């Protein structure tokens, strides 16, 4: 009766694992984002350029990262990667973006906005802006309505009131230049004193989209330090799709060969290992979804590497089990001894790899961190499946009388000292 229950348990576990693998894989994949190398996009590296004789500070770099994130949010890009690299660089990766050229232009803008008198005196700067919105005015022309904060409103009111009092209404000096990145956008005439902190920028936009882009930059604010683009890489959508297809094919071929190898060399334990690899895959996918991972080509390489490591862990265990069988122990005792002898070897090996992956994740950027993340998650899933699930299933299998032939475990009776 006990043996029958073991056989039923093995069959039930196998069926559940296979069904879960079939039904959960596709939904889980839909919740994992793809990096720019798999769906196309743009990779930009910005380097801070401080004023001559000065050095860029950590706070300035963090502020630069925050401002850049606000700009990217304005583009509507989902799951952008915006990371600091070293002391003076910022890495921006935008996957699946429709117009990479426009994105690069927005990223590279410094957006230093100033309102300047005809004498060159700066009245208000962009950091005093409270709101900037593109609209179509009464003359069917695009313009930007802006609103200052209390400090900016007071300064603007004082400046415009002074202009109105000093110069007659038709005097050409009664103007305020609106300057963006040292380029004069427009020089509107001041008709009356503006005391409510609300003004408009008009006359410099050919299309509404131009006004909308500028409004977006103004809302994001000025960068705390000058920047220059030192690296720009664009991946087309078709190239990304080809990369995904070829990578998927490579993984399927690799997994198939691995499963065949385990089955041929280790027979019944190999079959158990192939089944538990399905659980390994599901755990890995769950981990990627849980941490909101974005999958890249190096990330796929990390997955394939951990699959090989999972098979390697099983090989260590199965070889120990075969040694115990050859030494004359029973199957049940061999399984227990095999796992006991292999545990610390597998644990130490995986722990050192996790330490290396943690270092890569901490100091790496972009796809390097993706590789480190998938490697770490894969190792954790490997430890669970190899040391717990495979052991549990083999314990059930060795209780079934019809499966106690040692040839099923890849061991020839020749050379076996004694079987308990």
């Amino acid at each position: 009766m006990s043996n029958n229950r073991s056989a039923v348990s093995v069959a039930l576990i196998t069926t559940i694992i296979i069904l879960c693998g079939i039904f959960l894989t596709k939904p889980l994949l839909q919740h994992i984002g793809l990096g720019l190398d798999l769906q196309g996009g743009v990779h930009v590296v910005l380097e801070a350029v401080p004023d001559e004789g000065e050095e860029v500070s950590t706070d300035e770099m963090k502020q630069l990262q925050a401002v850049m994130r606000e700009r990217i949010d304005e583009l509507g890009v989902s799951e952008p990667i915006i990371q600091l690299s070293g002391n003076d660089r910022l890495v921006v990766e935008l996957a699946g973006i429709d117009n990479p050229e426009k994105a690069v232009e927005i990223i590279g803008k410094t957006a230093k906005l100033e309102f300047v008198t005809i004498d060159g005196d700066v009245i208000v700067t962009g950091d005093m802006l409270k709101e900037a919105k593109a609209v179509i005015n009464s003359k069917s022309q695009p313009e930007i309505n802006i609103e200052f904060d209390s400090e900016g409103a007071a300064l603007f009111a004082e400046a415009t009131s002074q202009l109105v009092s000093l110069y007659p209404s038709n005097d050409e000096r009664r103007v305020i230049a609106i300057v963006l990145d040292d380029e004069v956008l427009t020089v509107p005439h001041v008709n009356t004193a503006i005391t409510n902190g609300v003004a408009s920028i008009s006359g410099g936009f050919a299309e509404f989209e131009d006004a909308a882009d500028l409004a977006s930059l103004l809302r994001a604010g000025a960068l705390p330090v000058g920047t220059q683009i030192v690296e720009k890489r664009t991946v087309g959508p078709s190239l990304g799709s080809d990369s995904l297809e070829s990578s998927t094919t490579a993984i399927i071929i690799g997994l198939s060969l691995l499963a065949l190898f385990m089955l041929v060399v280790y027979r019944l334990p190999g079959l158990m290992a192939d089944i538990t690899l399905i659980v390994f895959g599901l755990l890995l996918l769950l981990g990627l979804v849980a941490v909101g991972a974005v999958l890249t080509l190096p990330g796929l390489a990390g997955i394939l590497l951990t699959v090989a490591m999972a098979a390697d862990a099983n090989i260590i265990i199965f070889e120990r089990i075969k040694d115990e069988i050859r030494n004359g122990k029973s199957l049940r005792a061999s399984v227990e001894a095999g796992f006991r002898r292999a545990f610390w070897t597998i644990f130490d090996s995986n722990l050192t790899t996790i330490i290396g992956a943690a270092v890569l994740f901490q100091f790496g950027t972009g796809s390097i961190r993706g590789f480190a993340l998938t490697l770490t998650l894969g190792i954790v899933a490997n430890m669970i499946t190899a040391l717990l699930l495979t052991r549990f299933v083999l314990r059930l299998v060795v209780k079934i009388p019809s499966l106690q032939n040692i040839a099923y475990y890849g061991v020839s009776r020749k050379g076996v000292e004694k079987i308990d």
Side-chain angles (χ1 to χ4, degrees), residues 270-340:
L271 176 61
M272 297 299 103
D274 289 344
I275 293 171
T276 56
L277 278 177
I278 298 175
V279 179
F280 164 83
L282 290 177
L283 288 176
L284 181 55
L285 290 177
L286 280 171
L288 292 172
V289 172
V291 301
V294 175
L295 203 56
T296 61
L297 278 175
L300 288 174
I303 290 176
L304 196 55
L305 179 60
T306 56
V307 170
M309 292 179 67
D312 185 54
N314 284 316
I315 288 173
I316 294 173
I317 294 169
F318 298 158
E319 288 296 334
R320 299 290 185 274
I321 292 175
K322 289 168 70 173
D323 289 342
E324 298 298 331
I325 294 174
R326 293 190 186 100
N327 290 333
K329 288 187 177 179
S330 67
L331 282 175
R332 186 178 302 183
S334 297
V335 168
E336 296 302 327
F339 274 96
R340 189 168 55 250

Side-chain angles (χ1 to χ4, degrees), residues 2 18 24 62 134 161 167 254 272 286 294 393 396 405 417:
S2 175
I18 293 175
L24 293 181
K62 289 182 177 178
S161 298
Y167 305 115
M272 297 299 103
L286 280 171
V294 175
V393 174
L396 295 177
N405 188 334
E417 296 178 358

Side-chain angles (χ1 to χ4, degrees), residues 82-321:
I82 306 169
Q83 296 175 338
L84 297 174
S85 175
N87 297 325
D88 60 354
R89 289 194 173 188
L90 186 70
V91 178
V92 180
E93 290 188 354
L94 309 176
I97 193 166
D98 296 328
N99 192 342
E101 291 79 13
K102 177 182 176 182
V104 173
E105 183 181 354
I106 294 291
I107 291 171
K109 284 279 188 182
T110 55
K112 181 182 178 183
L113 181 71
E114 295 174 327
F115 292 73
V116 185
T117 67
I118 196 169
D119 297 324
D121 298 328
V122 177
I123 303 169
V124 179
T125 55
D127 58 343
M128 298 178 187
L129 270 184
K130 186 178 179 181
E131 178 62 280
K133 183 179 180 181
V135 297
I136 299 296
N137 61 21
S138 58
K139 297 179 181 178
S140 299
Q141 297 295 319
E143 68 176 26
I144 299 175
N145 290 341
I146 59 176
E147 181 180 354
F148 297 109
D149 61 13
S150 57
E151 181 184 2
L155 292 172
F156 205 69
E158 180 183 352
T160 52
S161 298
Q162 190 173 17
L163 285 174
V164 170
S165 64
L166 287 176
Y167 305 115
S169 59
N170 59 350
D171 194 301
E172 61 181 11
R173 292 171 295 179
R174 194 165 147 173
V175 295
I176 292 178
I178 301 176
V179 183
L180 180 71
D181 293 343
D182 298 325
E183 179 182 348
V184 177
L185 290 180
T186 182
V187 187
H189 191 85
V190 178
N191 296 321
T192 60
I194 301 173
T195 58
N196 59 357
V198 177
S200 299
I201 304 174
S202 60
F205 312 110
E207 304 289 342
F208 178 80
E209 190 177 18
D210 298 332
D213 288 346
L214 178 56
S216 171
L217 285 172
L218 299 181
R219 284 194 298 271
L223 299 182
V225 63
T227 61
Q228 63 178 359
I229 295 176
V230 294
E231 181 183 347
K232 181 180 71 173
R233 177 163 50 88
T234 302
V235 180
S238 58
L239 182 59
S241 177
D242 292 343
S243 298
L244 178 60
E245 184 177 350
S246 59
S247 300
T248 303
T249 302
I251 289 177
I252 292 174
I253 292 174
L255 287 175
S256 301
L257 292 175
L258 190 60
L260 182 62
F261 172 82
M262 296 297 292
L263 190 60
V264 170
V265 176
Y266 295 99
R267 315 286 175 81
L268 189 56
L271 176 61
M272 297 299 103
D274 289 344
I275 293 171
T276 56
L277 278 177
I278 298 175
V279 179
F280 164 83
L282 290 177
L283 288 176
L284 181 55
L285 290 177
L286 280 171
L288 292 172
V289 172
V291 301
V294 175
L295 203 56
T296 61
L297 278 175
L300 288 174
I303 290 176
L304 196 55
L305 179 60
T306 56
V307 170
M309 292 179 67
D312 185 54
N314 284 316
I315 288 173
I316 294 173
I317 294 169
F318 298 158
E319 288 296 334
R320 299 290 185 274
I321 292 175

Side-chain angles (χ1 to χ4, degrees), residues 12-90:
L12 185 61
I13 291 173
T14 302
T15 304
I16 291 174
I17 289 173
I18 293 175
L19 289 177
C20 287
I22 294 172
F23 288 108
L24 293 181
T25 299
K26 187 174 181 181
L28 286 175
L29 286 173
Q30 291 174 348
H31 288 87
I32 298 176
L34 299 178
L36 67 89
D37 50 1
L38 294 178
Q39 64 170 324
V42 62
H43 168 97
V44 176
V45 178
L46 289 171
E47 185 176 77
V49 183
D51 294 336
E52 187 174 354
E54 296 183 359
E55 293 185 359
V56 63
S57 67
T58 302
D59 288 341
E60 285 177 327
M61 290 305 297
K62 289 182 177 178
Q63 188 179 350
L64 173 64
Q65 184 183 24
V67 171
M68 198 57 64
R69 187 172 297 281
E70 290 186 29
R71 290 187 182 182
I72 300 304
D73 288 344
E74 293 283 347
L75 293 173
V77 180
S78 62
E79 300 178 353
I81 295 175
I82 306 169
Q83 296 175 338
L84 297 174
S85 175
N87 297 325
D88 60 354
R89 289 194 173 188
L90 186 70

